[in-house]
Every structure is written in C-alpha cells, then in structure tokens.
Amino acid sequence: MPDYVPHLKLTHEGALKMLAAGIAKAQAMGQPQCITIVDDGGHLLAFVRMDGARVLSIDSSRKKAMSAASGRTPTGQMAAANELKLALATDGKVTNLLGGVPVIVDGHTIGAVGVGSGTGEQDLEVAQAAIAALEGARAF
Amino acid sequence: MPDYVPHLKLTHEGALKMLAAGIAKAQAMGQPQCITIVDDGGHLLAFVRMDGARVLSIDSSRKKAMSAASGRTPTGQMAAANELKLALATDGKVTNLLGGVPVIVDGHTIGAVGVGSGTGEQDLEVAQAAIAALEGARAF
Amino acid sequence: MPDYVPHLKLTHEGALKMLAAGIAKAQAMGQPQCITIVDDGGHLLAFVRMDGARVLSIDSSRKKAMSAASGRTPTGQMAAANELKLALATDGKVTNLLGGVPVIVDGHTIGAVGVGSGTGEQDLEVAQAAIAALEGARAF
Amino acid sequence: MPDYVPHLKLTHEGALKMLAAGIAKAQAMGQPQCITIVDDGGHLLAFVRMDGARVLSIDSSRKKAMSAASGRTPTGQMAAANELKLALATDGKVTNLLGGVPVIVDGHTIGAVGVGSGTGEQDLEVAQAAIAALEGARAF
C-alpha cells in the first residue's frame, strides 16, 4: 500500500457553479433556499442564503452537507431507529433530513451540497440541480 | 435584482410595548411568564422574566421566538416527523413548542415573540397579546 | 417613537456581487481568501473559500464580518486594552483583527464583509473591494 | 446555624424600573445601550437593546451583569494579571470590562445590571443610573 494516493479536490469555481445552479433551480420553483457546499471534510466552501430563506436553515443546510460528505450518500436514507441517536452522538452534526447530497467523481467523494428552507423534497431537488452542474459528478 | 431592498425594523419602543402587553395578559391569567422579543435575525431585543416564571423558560422562550422569526410562522405547526430532527440540526435553535409568534408588518417579518412557563396554550395566548399591541402587525 | 422604522436589507444578489468583487481582488493580488458576507445581525448571507485559503479562516472571516456588522465600523480600531476582554465577553464573536468592514447605505448598516487568509492589510483590501462593488455603499 | 435564612429577591417590577432608568440615562447621553438585569444567580430578569446599540453587546452586557452578581462588586476592579485567566477559567463568564454593577440591598446581593455599547465609562454611568432607581440599593 502506498503512503498516499491520488485524490480529487473540489475547487471554489466548482462550488460556485453548484451554487449558481442551485439558485436557478430554487428560483424556478419559487422557494428561496439556503445552499451550503462543503469539501470532503465537511468544511464550508461556498454558501448563499437567498432572499426569504430561513435564517436557521443556515445551520440545517450545513448539517445536511456535512452528513452527506461524511456518509458518502444522500441524507434521508438512515434507519429511523438510529437517526436521533446518531444526531445526538455527533453533537447534532449528523442529520437524516432530506436535502444533503454528496459530490462523487470517479469514485472519489470530494464534497457535498446541503439545502434547506423548503420541504424536504424541494431541498433535495435543489441539491440534485447543484450536483448536475458538475460534469462527471454522480447523479442521485 | 437590486443590491438592497426596503425593509422595516422593530424599535425598542415597539418591543417594550409588546413586553408590557404580554405581562398584562399573563397577570390577567394568573400565570407568570418569560417573554422574549427578538428582531428578524433572532437576536434579543427585549425580555422579562416575571416573578414565579421558570428560570429554564429563559431558554425555551428564546428558542420559540427565534423559530418564529426564522420560519415566519407561529411555532407548533411543524410536521411531527421533522421537529426533533430540525431541533438537532440547528443545535436546538428550532423548536416546535407552542408560544412563538412572528411580528409581520406589511409583509415584512421584523421580529418575533416567544413565551414560556405556562401551558402551550397559555404561552401562545400571551404571545398573541404581545403581537396585538403593535399597530399594523398581522394577527395569528 | 414609532414601533417600527424604515430600514434596508442586503439582497443575496448584492451579497454575491460583493463575493465576486472580493474574489477578483484576491486573485489580482495572488492571495486566496475566505470571504464572508453577513446581514446586519451577523448571520451568513454568502461565503466562499478560495482554493488555497486557510480552512480556519472560515471562522476568522466570519468573526470579522460579525464584528464589523455589530460595531458599524471596520475592525482593527478597538482600543488594545479592551480587545481581548471583548473577545472573551462575546464568546469569541468580537475580533479586532483587520479585514472586517460594514456595509453602510444611506446611514443604515445592512451587513458586513469579513476576509481572512492573507495579511491583515491584504484582508482589508479585499473587503474594501467587496464593499466598492455595491453602489451607494460607504467606502472605508 | 439555621438550615435556611431570610433573603431578598429582585422582582420583575424592580428590574423593569432599573431598565427604564437606564434607558432614560442612555438617551440623555445620546448613546444607545444594551442593558441586562440579572438575579443573584446571574440569570436573566430583564433586558433591552436600544435602537442603534450593538448586537454583540447583548453578550457582553450579560457577562458584565453576571460578573457583578457573582463578585458582588462592580466590574473593572479585578487585578489586571488575573482578568484574562479568570475569563478563560469560566468559559468567558467573568469579565472585567466596565459596566457591571451589583444590586445590594441591606447587605444582600439580589442581582446586578450590565451595560454595553458605549465607552466603559458611559456603560458604568448607565448602570449606576439603573441602580439609583431602586430605593435602598447601595450606590457604587
């Protein structure tokens, strides 16, 4: 096994492209959103709170993005029996709310997007639109 | 789209008027209350803990006010399936307990009131009385 | 005294315009930056971490923006005798590091920008460039 | 020694009277303030953030009030060598910033007031005005 291996890294250009696609989708559906883009460590890369989005969705969109980056799967797929226990065991960092989707390119998880302020389904749809803006990113 | 748009701001005079109306209502019903008034970002504008109100309702009345300001609707209307997840995803800032009501004037959410120490219904009634003290504020 | 008064609100379009101007300035000086735009309550409106910017500057750029929004002046002007005491008394939210500048339009403080990852002078210069992107915003 | 002893308790009427006196003083000096009144345990009794006061002074005025209630003396009298160590050892709860004054009646510390947004001297002056509104409270 080598000591280090090739990886991919999401750029701020890529993150801003995701943001723009998410905004366009949110505007098209008439639901202002908080959109958070994080890197593979869950650290903030780019963010926007659209006019009319909820101020507390700053937090929830971040948690969705962190959870998707960490779990390498969209949020909302966790067993119901575990979701609150995992949230509590991670000081609220893990959430199973709909709206978090990982950015996976060539098998590498390089970040995630989290969206909040709409219904869970709206949040997920905006997250999917953000992912679709990145060429080569796996669709969910 | 413009860079900034007209908005309204709740004054401390307005907030103190809400406080006084809330106190009067709480005294009339014989239930001492914690009453929190926040601005549209959820930041404290005015507060009182009446004699006999619960010390931990300092916190819960604040969370109710923040939730109502952020969500632009009274607390207590969230889907049961999401309320604990949203509380955890916002580090406890979102609550679905009865007693938080937004201050909405001319379509602008300019703050909120949160009340705690009584039953949920009593808390809501005091919050409504606080709102009613502001001319032009939407009734809930 | 009225219960509420006219105010202005920074839009997400305005915030994204500031972000773009800050990025352009940072690229021109060859120093990647974290750039945070907040509203007048210090809540996140827009953010970018440029490629090569420091991950912990996510925090410091936020604190700079919050401090400038709250104090209604650029950071770095506080008396040296008080700066650490004020930081501690606000759980680290107040900082006197260079790089935070308020957005003031027609006498209303409607938000702020905070920049971190370069020297204090570079951070301030990028913040000033972000402010200059908003028509009518006071220059510092 | 008896198992419990007589004490005095600051009422919300007393706290609101302090708030009103503080507001009047702040208006007279033309410096909007955050004014926090706490009980002898440092728990919030009453609060106002005047129009134009700093949002982060919500925190610092609270810390000043807590420190004065706990220390039973006005803030600002701590040895310089200890002030940051004590702040850190109490997770920021102790502050030596000017503007916190205890409410002492008949030898009982029954609460405190903390003021923030002006200079330390202005903050102290407003706190003293709040104390002076309570008949029998020790002047500082």
Side-chain angles (χ1 to χ4, degrees):
Chain A
M1 276 269 290
D3 288 345
Y4 26 83
V5 293
H7 193 55
L8 293 174
K9 199 168 179 167
L10 184 57
T11 63
H12 75 261
E13 289 285 351
L16 291 174
K17 195 184 288 184
M18 292 175 70
L19 220 56
I23 291 171
K25 185 64 173 184
Q27 282 172 334
M29 63 170 57
Q31 173 57 53
Q33 296 278 20
C34 285
I35 306 174
T36 298
I37 316 292
V38 299
D39 65 19
D40 60 343
H43 291 300
L44 205 55
L45 267 179
F47 173 84
V48 72
R49 172 161 53 103
M50 296 171 66
D51 306 330
R54 303 177 184 208
V55 79
L56 294 182
S57 298
I58 298 172
D59 294 326
S60 56
S61 68
R62 175 95 52 97
K63 305 295 181 69
K64 293 175 185 183
M66 290 176 63
S67 298
S70 173
R72 298 187 177 83
T73 54
T75 54
Q77 306 184 344
M78 211 171 281
N82 283 339
E83 58 185 11
L84 295 186
K85 295 181 205 172
L86 275 161
L88 286 161
T90 56
D91 300 316
K93 293 191 202 91
V94 165
T95 184
N96 201 27
L97 288 165
L98 276 181
V101 178
V103 181
I104 302 182
V105 177
D106 290 342
H108 298 273
T109 298
I110 61 172
V113 53
V115 179
S117 271
T119 64
E121 288 69 24
Q122 287 175 319
D123 298 348
L124 175 57
E125 207 174 330
V126 170
Q128 288 167 330
I131 296 285
L134 280 193
E135 213 178 326
R138 182 174 159 195
F140 285 97
Chain B
M1 277 268 293
D3 292 344
Y4 31 84
V5 292
H7 194 54
L8 291 174
K9 197 171 183 163
L10 184 56
T11 63
H12 73 260
E13 288 284 352
L16 291 174
K17 195 184 286 187
M18 293 175 69
L19 219 58
I23 292 172
K25 184 67 173 182
Q27 282 171 334
M29 62 169 57
Q31 173 57 53
Q33 295 278 20
C34 284
I35 306 173
T36 298
I37 316 292
V38 299
D39 64 20
D40 61 344
H43 290 301
L44 205 54
L45 268 178
F47 173 83
V48 71
R49 172 162 53 103
M50 295 172 64
D51 306 330
R54 303 176 187 207
V55 80
L56 294 183
S57 298
I58 298 172
D59 293 328
S60 56
S61 68
R62 174 95 52 99
K63 306 293 182 67
K64 293 175 185 182
M66 290 178 63
S67 297
S70 173
R72 297 184 180 85
T73 53
T75 54
Q77 306 183 344
M78 210 172 282
N82 281 339
E83 58 184 12
L84 295 186
K85 295 183 208 174
L86 276 163
L88 285 160
T90 55
D91 302 314
K93 291 189 205 99
V94 165
T95 183
N96 200 26
L97 288 165
L98 275 182
V101 178
V103 181
I104 302 182
V105 176
D106 290 343
H108 298 277
T109 298
I110 61 173
V113 53
V115 179
S117 272
T119 64
E121 286 70 23
Q122 287 175 318
D123 298 348
L124 175 57
E125 205 174 330
V126 169
Q128 288 166 329
I131 296 286
L134 279 193
E135 213 177 325
R138 182 174 159 196
F140 284 97
Chain C
M1 278 266 292
D3 292 344
Y4 32 85
V5 293
H7 194 54
L8 291 174
K9 196 169 183 164
L10 184 56
T11 63
H12 75 260
E13 288 285 351
L16 291 173
K17 196 184 286 187
M18 293 177 69
L19 218 58
I23 291 171
K25 184 66 170 182
Q27 282 171 335
M29 61 169 57
Q31 173 58 53
Q33 296 278 20
C34 285
I35 306 174
T36 299
I37 317 292
V38 298
D39 63 21
D40 60 345
H43 290 300
L44 206 54
L45 267 179
F47 173 84
V48 72
R49 173 161 52 104
M50 295 171 65
D51 307 331
R54 302 175 186 207
V55 79
L56 294 183
S57 298
I58 298 171
D59 293 328
S60 56
S61 68
R62 173 96 51 101
K63 306 292 182 71
K64 294 175 185 183
M66 289 177 64
S67 297
S70 172
R72 297 186 179 84
T73 53
T75 54
Q77 306 184 345
M78 212 172 281
N82 282 339
E83 57 185 12
L84 295 186
K85 294 182 211 174
L86 276 163
L88 286 160
T90 56
D91 301 314
K93 291 188 205 100
V94 165
T95 183
N96 201 25
L97 288 165
L98 276 181
V101 178
V103 181
I104 302 183
V105 176
D106 290 342
H108 298 277
T109 299
I110 60 173
V113 53
V115 179
S117 272
T119 65
E121 288 70 22
Q122 287 175 318
D123 297 349
L124 176 56
E125 207 173 327
V126 170
Q128 289 167 329
I131 295 285
L134 279 194
E135 213 177 326
R138 183 173 159 195
F140 284 96
Chain D
M1 278 272 288
D3 289 346
Y4 27 82
V5 294
H7 194 54
L8 292 173
K9 197 167 181 169
L10 184 55
T11 62
H12 75 261
E13 288 285 350
L16 291 174
K17 196 184 286 185
M18 293 176 69
L19 219 57
I23 291 172
K25 184 66 172 183
Q27 282 171 335
M29 61 169 58
Q31 173 58 54
Q33 296 278 19
C34 286
I35 306 174
T36 299
I37 317 292
V38 299
D39 64 21
D40 60 344
H43 291 300
L44 205 55
L45 267 179
F47 173 84
V48 72
R49 172 161 53 104
M50 295 171 66
D51 306 330
R54 301 177 185 209
V55 79
L56 294 183
S57 298
I58 298 172
D59 294 327
S60 55
S61 68
R62 174 94 54 99
K63 305 293 181 71
K64 293 175 185 183
M66 289 176 65
S67 297
S70 172
R72 299 188 177 81
T73 53
T75 54
Q77 306 184 344
M78 212 172 281
N82 283 340
E83 58 185 10
L84 295 187
K85 295 179 206 172
L86 276 161
L88 287 161
T90 56
D91 299 317
K93 292 190 203 93
V94 166
T95 184
N96 200 28
L97 288 165
L98 276 180
V101 178
V103 181
I104 303 183
V105 177
D106 290 343
H108 298 274
T109 299
I110 60 172
V113 53
V115 179
S117 271
T119 64
E121 288 70 23
Q122 288 174 318
D123 297 349
L124 176 57
E125 207 174 327
V126 170
Q128 288 167 330
I131 295 285
L134 280 192
E135 212 178 327
R138 183 173 158 195
F140 284 96

